[in-house]
Amino acid sequence: AVFRYLVALGAVATAFALRVLLTPLTGRGAPFVLFFAAVLVTSLYVGSGPGLLALVVSLPLAAYMFVVRAGYPIHEAVFQATLYAVDGLIILYITHLTTRRRRRLDEANAELRRLSGEAERSAARTQQVIELAPDAFFLANLDARFTDVNRAACRLLGYERDELLGMTIFDIIPAEDAARLEATRRELLQPGATIRNEWRLKRKDGTLVPVEASANILEDGRWQA
């Protein structure tokens, strides 16, 4: 906090020095322009509190040094100082709103990152449960092509995981059960439908293994069994 307010005083001092150095070029006009920039920069980068300090310090300093001592009448000095004060307060208010909204956005982003992290951890735990489950798990798209299987499914059929992911459900059932599978898929397309029945699955060595399968179609269109 101390550093932020020192920045405000430094900005005013810089504006004062520049105004003195540029007087031969600018003349006596625009006595507050550089101080206005000091208030603006201070409030944007270190906050509206230091910006207010920059305004309070620069207002009498600039009014006396570059208005009164420059020979302007008192009423003109007061009027110019008032305009400068109003402009400065407007800048401080806008900066305050911007800072508050930015803070809220940062908080929302932090909360979003936290929730995203929790979702990722939850998904990882779910995937681990599925992967280590004793029952075979198959996940396929609506074209019946496998998109995920677990270790039990690989052991059941004698395939490596990469091999199964290149296959469809029709590749692991006897040809005579294809029509039944199509009928089952149509039934599963009904919202909330879950079907449990018996099937014969073809292992990699060509043998058939009887299984009981519970299948349903998820909301995103994937088919799990």
Side-chain angles (χ1 to χ4, degrees), residues 119-172:
E120 290 176 0
R121 289 189 292 272
S122 177
R125 288 193 295 268
T126 301
Q127 182 63 33
Q128 185 179 36
V129 169
I130 292 173
E131 181 65 19
L132 300 178
D135 293 328
F137 174 80
F138 298 88
L139 189 65
N141 57 29
L142 280 178
D143 295 327
R145 187 169 299 280
F146 293 123
T147 59
D148 196 15
V149 294
N150 66 354
R151 297 178 187 178
C154 296
R155 289 194 300 268
L156 176 68
L157 300 180
Y159 287 99
E160 296 293 331
R161 185 174 185 275
D162 291 342
E163 293 177 305
L164 279 175
L165 293 183
M167 301 169 63
T168 69
I169 302 174
F170 294 98
D171 295 325
I172 64 169

Side-chain angles (χ1 to χ4, degrees), residues 9 103 139 156 214 223:
L9 296 177
R103 187 179 301 115
L139 189 65
L156 176 68
S214 176
W223 183 352

Side-chain angles (χ1 to χ4, degrees), residues 37-79:
V39 173
L40 176 61
V41 171
T42 301
S43 59
L44 283 177
Y45 286 98
V46 292
S48 54
L52 179 60
L53 175 63
L55 177 63
V56 170
V57 171
S58 63
L59 181 60
L61 177 65
Y64 177 73
M65 293 298 299
F66 303 110
V67 180
V68 174
R69 289 191 59 182
Y72 288 93
I74 296 297
H75 71 277
E76 290 187 13
V78 172
F79 184 73

Side-chain angles (χ1 to χ4, degrees), residues 65-97:
M65 293 298 299
F66 303 110
V67 180
V68 174
R69 289 191 59 182
Y72 288 93
I74 296 297
H75 71 277
E76 290 187 13
V78 172
F79 184 73
Q80 291 192 51
T82 301
L83 290 179
Y84 169 61
V86 170
D87 289 343
L89 291 174
I90 291 173
I91 286 297
L92 292 175
Y93 178 68
I94 294 174
T95 302
H96 171 71
L97 293 180

